[in-house]
Amino acid sequence: MLDGAPPFLAPHIDPWQMRPPLRAWLRQVRTNMLCMIPEAAYHEAVVSDRLGPLRWHVLGRPEAYAHVFRDSLANYPKAPIMHRLLSPYLGRGILLAAQDDWHWQRRAMAPAFAGGGLKRMAPAMLRVAMDTAARLAQQASSADPVQVSFEMRVTAMEMVRHTMLDALASDAKGLGFAQMPDVDGLHEYRTAIQDGVDKYLQDFGRPGLADLLDLPKWLRPSRLWRRAPTEMPRELLARLVTARRNMGGRGYDLLSMMLAARDPETGRTMSDEEIRDNLMTFIVAGSDTTALTLTWAIYGLTQMPHWAERLRDEADTAFEVTVDAAALPDHLPWTRRYLDEILRLFPSAPLVFRQAAENDWICNIPVRRGDMILAPIYALHRNADLWPEPMQFDPARFDGTTRRTRFRYLPFGAGPRACIGAGFAMMEAVLTLAVLARRLEFKLQKGWQVSPLMMLTLKPDG
């Protein structure tokens, strides 16, 4: 917190102390999945409960997270609810892959997300950030308010196109998909992907009792006879992967790197289906989540003009020192800390599910085979025992003087299966926020209220 500046307290969803009746509770959960988190999870190590035959345990302390996500990782695979909600979109990509598949995919793709790969993508990220600032400045000249959440999704999808699918325009010419007349802009491509995400979250992405209890899918009949809204973007990506492979692959975008990826231990390469599923995974992780982080960051600027001024001054200095996109983040330390604090209060993936494969103990609490494990990162980041004044926005928490206990700050997951694209996401967010803070001033529309809403990812409600 800057000296003399008024504190900004983050919006919050009050947790339940005693779970409501089942019907009311399920209605709340389908509206906002944060309602699954009990108040006790904000201070106890493990909170146990049951829903009919389903036993579940909510993690609340770093030592509990360390046990599940590191020490006994093999005993806690992703819960069936995650596969039910995510597999129609992500298939068998790295996020949902079983342990053996995950190991070799991670090894094969690691070079694409290492320092050299990120540096090659940085100029494209900076160009998209500059284009976004120009687009928003033009929109701001009208009297109508700008819907920042939508604009950040557009920006994130452009980041995807220019870093993951840089040759998409030329590849698309011969596909005849959706009769794309504007091949350079590829508006149909972007719209197909984003519409698929939105429709999916509105229906397939809302958990019901059948999902929580892992009951047969015929108990959600709409999912059997309705065409998943994700099928069209998946078909488009499959055709693009095939086209690029037939052309021999080229360039330094992520698709080219994935086509050339090879497991250094076994020599195994990725099939077209595996590449498509991983592209879908990275599109979701690299567009929806980063867009949400930037949206929350801009909301913070509207509430804290002193931070807007500080980030603007830092960006001005950084751009005077260097024009090298890959080097810019090194000159933007407070922009990075600001985003770290945004991710503490508003983690894009606020709730993670696991399931016990065998009987176990977590912090002296017995866990039986089949029990559901809820890991509410949202609550961990707002735990008063771990973060003094947890609702108060203070990027100085991340200035290096305060020692961070392992497994108390997990915006990109934890343990060996932490997000492979964390470095990519942070470079994209730092560059974009620096450009926007330097070029634009943001104000929240008068009378507007914002609160956190979870539907797989954490959105600003409204």
Side-chain angles (χ1 to χ4, degrees):
M1 184 174 63
L2 297 180
D3 293 339
F8 166 59
L9 300 181
H12 185 59
I13 296 296
D14 292 331
W16 52 268
Q17 295 187 357
M18 181 176 294
R19 180 158 49 81
L22 178 60
R23 185 184 297 269
W25 184 76
L26 281 175
R27 186 166 54 248
Q28 292 176 12
V29 169
R30 280 183 56 80
T31 301
N32 190 341
M33 291 178 69
L34 291 179
C35 294
M36 297 185 75
I37 307 174
E39 188 275 337
Y42 287 81
H43 50 83
E44 295 185 18
V46 180
V47 181
S48 300
D49 201 350
R50 67 183 306 135
L51 184 66
L54 176 66
R55 297 180 302 272
W56 45 295
H57 311 276
V58 186
L59 309 183
R61 302 279 307 178
E63 54 269 30
Y65 279 81
H67 180 84
V68 171
F69 290 94
R70 183 192 63 195
D71 302 337
S72 300
L73 177 66
N75 193 49
Y76 294 99
K78 285 182 167 58
I81 186 174
M82 293 191 70
H83 288 273
R84 290 173 71 109
L85 296 181
L86 294 175
S87 61
Y89 200 86
L90 305 184
R92 294 182 298 169
I94 191 170
L95 183 65
L96 296 179
Q99 196 71 0
D100 289 343
D101 277 344
W102 169 80
H103 267 299
W104 88 264
Q105 289 187 42
R106 178 106 181 187
R107 287 195 301 264
M109 288 188 288
F113 293 96
L118 289 179
K119 288 180 180 179
R120 286 194 293 268
M121 297 182 199
M125 293 180 181
L126 185 57
R127 287 196 303 272
V128 173
M130 295 288 194
D131 291 343
T132 297
R135 186 178 71 247
L136 293 181
Q138 184 177 18
Q139 293 184 38
S141 62
S142 70
D144 297 328
V146 176
Q147 187 180 349
V148 169
S149 58
F150 172 79
E151 294 300 333
M152 291 304 100
R153 291 189 312 185
V154 171
T155 295
M157 287 304 298
E158 286 300 290
M159 291 283 187
V160 166
R161 182 162 77 87
H162 288 285
T163 59
M164 298 187 186
L165 304 162
D166 191 41
L168 180 61
S170 58
D171 288 354
K173 289 180 181 178
L175 295 181
F177 185 89
Q179 311 242 332
M180 299 193 234
D182 181 4
V183 177
D184 186 54
L186 287 169
H187 300 303
E188 287 84 355
Y189 154 79
R190 186 172 63 205
T191 300
I193 297 289
Q194 194 58 60
D195 283 355
V197 173
D198 290 344
K199 292 175 182 176
Y200 177 73
L201 290 175
Q202 290 297 325
D203 183 11
F204 286 71
R206 289 181 180 272
L209 184 61
D211 300 313
L212 292 170
L213 299 180
D214 194 28
L215 299 178
K217 292 183 179 180
W218 55 263
L219 290 173
R220 296 287 301 272
S222 64
R223 293 189 179 177
L224 295 179
W225 59 263
R226 286 180 58 190
R227 187 174 190 240
T230 57
E231 287 185 20
M232 186 169 71
R234 283 170 64 84
E235 290 171 5
L236 170 58
L237 285 178
R239 297 174 69 178
L240 289 170
V241 171
T242 301
R244 182 73 70 83
R245 190 184 290 279
N246 291 340
M247 297 166 64
R250 66 191 190 288
Y252 294 103
D253 63 2
L254 185 61
L255 176 52
S256 297
M257 295 181 193
M258 291 173 69
L259 285 166
R262 186 179 298 272
D263 184 349
E265 294 187 7
T266 65
R268 180 178 174 180
T269 58
M270 302 181 73
S271 68
D272 286 4
E273 181 181 1
E274 288 167 334
I275 292 176
R276 177 206 63 196
D277 288 348
N278 277 300
L279 282 174
M280 293 298 292
T281 298
F282 295 134
I283 284 172
V284 172
S287 62
D288 192 47
T289 55
T290 304
L292 288 170
T293 298
L294 288 168
T295 301
W296 283 113
I298 291 171
Y299 166 68
L301 296 181
T302 69
Q303 304 301 296
M304 298 175 289
H306 51 286
W307 273 106
E309 182 179 357
R310 180 160 192 167
L311 298 191
R312 183 181 305 115
D313 291 343
E314 181 177 76
D316 283 340
T317 302
F319 278 91
E320 289 174 1
V321 171
T322 181
V323 293
D324 179 359
L328 274 170
D330 293 336
H331 300 279
L332 298 165
W334 279 106
T335 304
R336 171 61 192 256
R337 293 166 193 158
Y338 179 93
L339 285 165
D340 280 335
E341 182 71 341
I342 286 290
L343 284 167
R344 181 185 72 83
L345 289 166
F346 309 107
S348 299
L351 184 59
V352 178
F353 299 86
R354 293 290 186 267
Q355 187 174 45
E358 300 294 341
N359 294 345
D360 194 18
W361 293 80
I362 305 176
C363 297
N364 298 319
I365 300 296
V367 176
R368 287 189 281 177
R369 178 181 178 181
D371 285 4
M372 179 90 76
I373 307 298
L374 276 64
I377 293 170
Y378 175 90
L380 180 75
H381 287 182
R382 295 174 178 229
N383 186 321
D385 295 333
L386 304 173
W387 305 95
E389 301 293 337
M391 300 305 170
Q392 186 168 296
F393 188 88
D394 185 10
R397 301 177 197 272
F398 299 97
D399 65 1
T401 60
T402 301
R403 184 174 64 86
R404 277 192 252 165
T405 304
R406 293 191 69 183
F407 289 95
R408 76 164 179 169
Y409 180 66
L410 308 174
F412 296 103
R417 293 197 67 151
C419 177
I420 191 174
F424 178 99
M426 287 309 299
M427 177 176 282
E428 175 185 350
V430 167
L431 290 174
T432 303
L433 184 59
V435 170
L436 296 183
R438 186 186 188 207
R439 296 276 302 276
L440 301 166
E441 180 181 358
F442 296 92
K443 293 183 179 179
L444 192 65
Q445 190 174 11
K446 188 175 181 179
W448 209 261
Q449 298 294 322
V450 174
S451 61
L453 168 66
M454 180 185 173
M455 289 193 305
L456 295 184
T457 51
L458 190 66
K459 304 178 180 298
D461 193 14

